[in-house]
Amino acid sequence: FGNLIAVWKHGGAIRPRALFFALASAATLGVAYVTDKAVFQHYPLGFYIMLSYIMPGMYCFIALRSRHLEKIRQEFISGSWKLPLMSLVSVLGYYSLLSTFRLAEASVAVPIAFTSTILTALGGIVILKERSNVLSKLAGAVSVVIGVILLR
C-alpha cells in the first residue's frame, strides 16, 4: 500500500492492466524469495549466487550474442564503469538478503528489504531534486515504515 501511495500520479489513476502486472510480478517475486529461503541453505552461498546471477546472464549472452552483439557492446560502452558497479551492488544486495535469511524469517526480511522502493523515491527527492509528488512519496514512505514496524 505504501509503495502504491509513493508512485501515485497527480491524476490519481493507475491503469488496471498496469496494476495487474505489478501485482503479478510482486506475487512471483514473493514465491521466488520463499523458494530462495528454502533452497539456498543446501548449497554454499557463493555457488547459489553464481547459479542465480551468472548462469542466466551467461545463457542470455551466448543465446543473444550472435544476433545482438553490437547492441551489447554499445550498452557496455554507454554504461562504462557504471555497469559493472551496478552489477556488483546487485550481487552484494542479493548476498546480503540471503545472509539475512540465515538470521531471520523470510516474512520479516523481505518486506524490510523492499523498503528500497521507498528509499529510492526519497533518494530521488533529496539527491536528484525530483519535486513532483513529494507529499505522496513521503506518505508512502511513512506507511511502509509503519508496516515494517508492525511486522516485528
Side-chain angles (χ1 to χ4, degrees):
F1 179 70
N3 289 332
L4 286 176
I5 291 173
V7 298
W8 195 264
K9 303 270 185 221
H10 284 294
I14 296 177
R15 294 187 327 205
R17 185 172 181 190
L19 184 60
F20 169 76
F21 283 120
L23 292 174
S25 62
T28 305
L29 275 173
V31 171
Y33 285 127
V34 169
T35 304
D36 276 345
K37 168 80 173 166
V39 172
F40 94 95
Q41 297 174 9
H42 301 288
Y43 299 96
L45 192 55
F47 181 72
Y48 188 77
I49 290 174
M50 183 183 76
L51 288 176
S52 300
Y53 266 87
I54 296 173
M55 297 307 288
M58 288 179 69
Y59 170 77
C60 289
F61 180 75
I62 291 168
L64 299 176
R65 184 175 54 138
S66 59
R67 292 179 293 183
H68 303 286
L69 187 59
E70 183 59 29
K71 289 180 185 178
I72 293 170
R73 191 179 72 74
Q74 288 174 355
E75 286 296 322
F76 274 106
I77 290 170
S78 68
S80 67
W81 58 271
K82 297 172 193 167
L83 194 60
L85 179 63
M86 289 186 333
S87 300
L88 179 65
V89 168
S90 178
V91 171
L92 288 175
Y94 189 55
Y95 173 82
S96 298
L97 181 64
L98 292 178
S99 296
T100 303
F101 284 163
R102 290 184 175 167
L103 305 172
E105 296 176 9
S107 61
V108 174
V110 173
I112 292 172
F114 272 93
T115 59
S116 65
T117 304
I118 297 301
L119 295 175
T120 302
L122 295 177
I125 293 169
V126 174
I127 297 169
L128 301 177
K129 301 190 180 11
E130 297 173 348
R131 301 295 184 216
S132 65
N133 301 329
V134 172
L135 290 178
S136 64
K137 291 174 184 174
L138 292 175
V142 168
S143 66
V144 167
V145 169
I146 290 171
V148 168
I149 289 171
L150 291 174
L151 283 173
R152 291 180 20 174

